Amino acid sequence: MKKFLLLTAFSLSLFANSIIVKESHCSVDATVQKIKNIVSKKGLHVFAVINHSGNAKAVGMKLNEAKMVIFGNAKLGTALMQQDMTVGLDLPLRILVFRDSDGKVKMAYRDGSWLANHHLLNAAKKIDKVNNALNKITDKAGQCKRD
């Protein structure tokens, strides 16, 4: 019974931290632009920016500022999809930039290990590469000069 409880607790801890949230010291728009610039300079492709708050406004609803940057690397994504086609449900990569209820700008993304835990992947080095890239992109994008 102890082994079962320990295994259950360990399994839950793996999934509890699959979403990383970081604070940005920039506006939502400035953070999104910085992410796009950083991603492009790294040779990755920005596929789209989804304006969630703009879409909410279009249907007469309110939502704090929120934009999703969708980007990726076809070579890396293809290699992962060659192992398990369903990983395509979680690619390209995404970073959500939003203003929270306290007025702070945040960046949220799914930890790359989530891909390995939810798909049949044997790609530890590739997942580490994804995690390192997302960490560096968001660290840099969240830095703005303060007056």
Side-chain angles (χ1 to χ4, degrees):
M1 182 66 173
K2 285 183 183 181
K3 286 182 182 179
F4 174 76
L5 292 175
L6 183 60
L7 183 59
T8 301
F10 178 72
S11 297
L12 290 174
S13 70
L14 284 176
F15 301 114
N17 296 321
S18 66
I19 296 177
I20 309 293
V21 180
K22 295 181 179 180
E23 189 170 342
S24 173
H25 298 288
C26 312
S27 68
V28 169
D29 286 336
T31 304
V32 166
Q33 190 58 52
K34 288 185 82 167
I35 291 169
K36 289 170 55 178
N37 292 344
I38 294 164
V39 163
S40 294
K41 284 180 184 174
K42 288 185 170 287
L44 305 174
H45 182 72
V46 176
F47 294 102
V49 175
I50 308 297
N51 185 345
H52 288 304
S53 48
N55 291 335
K57 185 177 180 181
V59 295
M61 298 177 75
K62 291 183 180 181
L63 186 67
N64 284 355
E65 279 183 281
K67 293 183 178 182
M68 176 86 72
V69 183
I70 302 171
F71 62 96
N73 173 324
K75 189 172 183 177
L76 179 62
T78 300
L80 294 174
M81 289 177 68
Q82 286 173 334
Q83 288 188 41
D84 183 352
M85 188 61 79
T86 64
V87 79
L89 291 167
D90 298 305
L91 294 176
L93 299 173
R94 299 174 296 276
I95 299 174
L96 176 65
V97 182
F98 63 98
R99 185 172 304 282
D100 72 8
S101 59
D102 294 326
K104 294 180 180 178
V105 175
K106 304 280 178 84
M107 299 171 286
Y109 60 92
R110 194 172 297 282
D111 184 276
S113 59
W114 191 91
L115 292 172
N117 291 332
H118 288 81
H119 300 283
L120 302 173
L121 298 177
N122 182 14
K125 287 182 182 178
K126 288 179 177 67
I127 297 301
D128 284 344
K129 190 173 185 175
V130 167
N131 282 337
N132 288 334
L134 287 168
N135 186 48
K136 288 177 183 177
I137 291 166
T138 52
D139 280 351
K140 194 170 184 180
Q143 297 174 5
C144 280
K145 294 179 183 176
R146 294 200 174 224
D147 296 330

